[in-house]
Amino acid sequence: MKRSLTMVLLMFALTGASTTLTIAQAPDNTPRISMTLEHGAHRIGKRIDSKMSRWRNYGFGQFIHWGLYAIPGGHWNGEYYGGAAEWIRSWKGMPNEDYDNLYTEFDPVDFDPKAWAEQAKDMGARYMIITTKHHDGFCLWPSEFTDYDVTNAPYGQDIIGPLVEAYDAEGIDVYLYFSVMDWNHPGYRSKLETAEDREAYEGFKEFTRNQLLELLERYPSTKGLWFDGTWDAAWKEQAEFADNLAMEMREMIPGLIIGSRFRPDDYGNRHFDSNGDLMGDYEQGWERKLPDTYEDTKGNDWDCVMTVPENQWGYHSDWRGHVKTSYELIEMLVKSVSLDGNFVMNFGPNGQGEIRKEERQLAKEIGEWMHKNQKAIYDCGYIDWEKQDWGYYTRNRESGEVYMIVFNKPINGALRIKTPAKINLDKIFDLNGPQKTYRPEEIHRNEYFIHLDEALLETPKVIVIQYSEATNQTKGYDKAKT
Ligand code: FHN
């Protein structure tokens, strides 16, 4: 959102900031009022390097939330916890000391990283985000900077390393989730009110930097960091620290991909700086929700991270309320890609290291669809053809081939296609049966029907459109005189 000049001047007045105002041209050449920010967005527009292009073309990813919270699985002392399982420590029914001692029980004897990676491959995931440390501060890797890690649990071994190795072996890129918020560290503060707070927080910042550099040193094949737990007031004051740390991490791994949840700007704004510009390589605000239109994405790269139940990231043994079906998740995946984003489906393994049967079944069903239709997902993105009720368009960024992904077959079987001017529809055929072609029936200028034969669709159907730029306009149509 671009702030009006009045708003910006008011912000100065209120904050007494010595920031200067500049009048610049926005990418769409509209004059825009922007503040000179030292730690705001350092780039306007998308990253165009090959590593970011690879990220942009993933389409589909897997999130894995795993940690001590998987042991209680949403229950304690026989009581059911209705919140997100990975937040059970915050529940009055779970004494902090009981939670903090769960590490003495962490021994996931069924943990099989190769099986997890194979399942992700079969499902069609092209990247995976693993919680190295969630808000509780328990580290799934041997950290030099804390004893609260996996080596001091009965399991005693690194979890992250074997996962990175197994997923790399399957050709699935690994991203490391890291929660800045750390309930276990004595120096963590949600806000800085006293001199003691500030002194303690300086130690916490150094600890955070040490752990992040340690992760990148231990797992250099990681392609990026997925930050979380950065909404507290204390962190919002750390614009310079976070900016310098991001630069330091990218010196370690050039091209490291970091989303919009990491840095606050000079005024504590996150995701978008005080000028409304995206901070980070992609927007990380789409959590358990999707944009409705391309305009909602502001033309940025973005990912949507999605739980299977309404709000369970970590393992909860008793999923209540609506549990999404594979078709719901496939539609979210397709919609994400149709709006130039990536869709990341969450898995929450249990305390023994098993992936629950519901998630295995979903992975199987989604994988069956992806196996046949991945061409409409991988390396694809948005095309500005008018959205129709039958489903979504995606477009391969290389070949330009367009895919109609049909979820809702009209009663009359007629799928409407409306293109921008001067587009010729050259060839239309089933992705999974190219011998089945469609002759577009022109019903108005740049508007057509293609007619489906099927009585009903068993699964979301993909139809391929090969098109070209027309040299002349289609035949004239009389405009209504109203
Ligand atoms: O509080 C966390 C939550 O537990 C989970 O990790 C999600 C995943 O995106 N992030 C935070 C909530 O926004």
Side-chain angles (χ1 to χ4, degrees):
M1 173 190 77
K2 303 289 180 244
R3 283 174 170 71
S4 69
L5 179 55
T6 315
M7 279 284 286
V8 168
L9 291 172
L10 183 63
M11 281 173 78
F12 292 148
L14 294 174
T15 58
S18 58
T19 312
T20 53
L21 267 181
T22 52
I23 310 285
Q25 288 288 19
D28 59 4
N29 291 322
T30 54
R32 44 174 254 159
I33 314 294
S34 61
M35 290 184 263
T36 309
L37 297 170
E38 204 170 339
H39 304 296
H42 295 313
R43 183 195 64 252
I44 304 295
K46 292 182 174 181
R47 258 178 67 170
I48 53 174
D49 58 287
S50 59
K51 290 185 175 180
M52 198 64 204
S53 296
R54 181 182 174 92
W55 182 94
R56 186 173 296 124
N57 284 326
Y58 287 143
F60 190 25
Q62 178 188 39
F63 214 152
I64 299 177
H65 273 73
W66 198 34
L68 298 182
Y69 39 80
I71 297 170
H75 297 78
W76 193 250
N77 286 339
E79 295 291 312
Y80 167 82
Y81 169 55
E86 70 284 358
W87 274 80
I88 194 169
R89 186 181 186 274
S90 66
W91 175 44
K92 66 178 180 358
M94 168 60 113
N96 285 352
E97 189 181 347
D98 289 356
Y99 183 92
D100 296 345
N101 285 321
L102 285 173
Y103 79 94
T104 61
E105 299 174 40
F106 189 72
D107 189 16
V109 293
D110 298 329
F111 172 50
D112 182 347
K114 287 194 176 67
W116 289 14
E118 285 164 9
Q119 176 190 263
K121 186 72 174 182
D122 292 346
M123 180 175 79
R126 277 179 136 183
Y127 68 124
M128 183 275 282
I129 305 163
I130 175 66
T131 50
T132 62
K133 178 178 88 169
H134 204 259
H135 309 332
D136 58 10
F138 183 70
C139 302
L140 293 185
W141 80 96
S143 175
E144 198 186 311
F145 304 98
T146 179
D147 293 333
Y148 198 49
D149 73 19
V150 70
T151 54
N152 292 306
Y155 187 69
Q157 305 163 58
D158 183 10
I159 293 274
I160 301 301
L163 271 173
V164 170
E165 190 180 338
Y167 275 75
D168 282 354
E170 291 291 346
I172 301 175
D173 288 351
V174 174
Y175 289 70
L176 303 179
Y177 168 111
F178 184 90
S179 173
V180 170
M181 178 159 74
D182 181 326
W183 297 327
N184 182 265
H185 192 280
Y188 183 77
R189 297 288 186 279
S190 59
K191 52 192 172 191
L192 304 174
E193 294 175 310
T194 66
E196 188 278 332
D197 286 343
R198 293 187 180 280
E199 185 181 357
Y201 202 72
E202 286 308 305
F204 170 72
K205 285 159 58 177
E206 185 182 351
F207 161 77
T208 299
R209 171 179 173 272
N210 287 338
Q211 283 205 317
L212 286 166
L213 300 186
E214 177 181 57
L215 281 168
L216 298 184
E217 194 171 341
R218 288 182 63 89
Y219 314 112
S221 69
T222 189
K223 304 295 182 293
L225 293 165
W226 206 95
F227 283 98
D228 205 2
T230 56
W231 47 74
D232 283 333
W235 182 256
K236 288 180 181 177
E237 291 186 36
Q238 311 307 325
E240 181 179 11
F241 172 76
D243 205 0
N244 292 339
L245 181 51
M247 281 188 273
E248 187 174 10
M249 292 190 287
R250 287 201 174 100
E251 279 162 18
M252 277 186 80
I253 300 187
L256 191 71
I257 293 174
I258 301 173
S260 63
R261 283 198 190 191
F262 183 48
R263 295 200 297 120
D265 79 348
D266 311 51
Y267 295 90
N269 292 301
R270 295 168 51 251
H271 294 286
F272 293 90
D273 70 14
S274 305
N275 292 320
D277 295 319
L278 182 68
M279 292 171 60
D281 298 321
Y282 62 96
E283 189 192 347
Q284 278 181 279
W286 303 101
E287 176 173 318
R288 298 191 289 122
K289 62 183 180 187
L290 283 164
D292 285 323
T293 65
Y294 183 69
E295 288 67 32
D296 289 341
T297 73
K298 302 182 178 69
N300 295 312
D301 285 313
W302 59 278
D303 70 357
C304 165
V305 289
M306 186 59 70
T307 48
V308 175
E310 173 50 33
N311 185 23
Q312 291 297 343
W313 298 94
Y315 175 75
H316 197 304
S317 61
D318 180 359
W319 276 357
R320 294 186 186 178
H322 179 63
V323 176
K324 295 175 190 72
T325 66
S326 52
Y327 286 148
E328 281 181 81
L329 293 160
I330 290 169
E331 181 160 4
M332 291 175 180
L333 164 61
V334 167
K335 181 172 182 181
S336 297
V337 174
S338 78
L339 295 175
D340 255 10
N342 287 333
F343 183 71
V344 185
M345 175 184 164
N346 184 70
F347 287 69
N350 65 22
Q352 294 72 41
E354 281 179 307
I355 290 181
R356 67 198 299 154
K357 67 178 186 324
E358 298 93 332
E359 291 173 349
R360 294 201 306 273
Q361 182 59 27
L362 286 170
K364 177 176 176 296
E365 292 170 8
I366 294 168
E368 285 165 356
W369 187 85
M370 279 294 287
H371 182 69
K372 292 177 183 166
N373 300 289
Q374 63 192 35
K375 271 191 82 173
I377 299 296
Y378 295 155
D379 311 325
C380 286
Y382 172 72
I383 183 168
D384 63 345
W385 290 10
E386 186 182 271
K387 171 77 173 66
Q388 304 296 335
D389 291 340
W390 44 256
Y392 308 86
Y393 292 111
T394 63
R395 176 178 180 275
N396 183 289
R397 293 187 175 100
E398 286 301 311
S399 67
E401 212 163 61
V402 170
Y403 304 99
M404 299 168 66
I405 304 156
V406 184
F407 287 84
N408 314 303
K409 175 182 174 285
I411 291 176
N412 64 2
L415 302 183
R416 186 185 302 271
I417 300 172
K418 190 164 182 192
T419 72
K422 298 194 175 180
I423 293 283
N424 280 340
L425 301 182
D426 300 329
K427 192 178 176 190
I428 304 176
F429 56 93
D430 278 358
L431 176 64
N432 290 297
Q435 71 286 355
K436 169 62 185 161
T437 60
Y438 300 85
R439 182 187 58 76
E441 176 200 356
E442 188 168 4
I443 55 176
H444 204 274
R445 188 187 301 278
N446 303 114
E447 197 166 350
Y448 311 85
F449 277 147
I450 62 170
H451 297 275
L452 289 183
D453 301 335
E454 291 94 328
L456 56 88
L457 297 180
E458 297 286 333
T459 67
K461 179 187 181 71
V462 178
I463 295 171
V464 185
I465 299 179
Q466 293 173 348
Y467 73 96
S468 53
E469 308 283 334
T471 49
N472 54 2
Q473 188 44 52
T474 54
K475 67 184 177 190
Y477 284 84
D478 297 330
K479 279 201 168 186
K481 293 178 178 57
T482 57

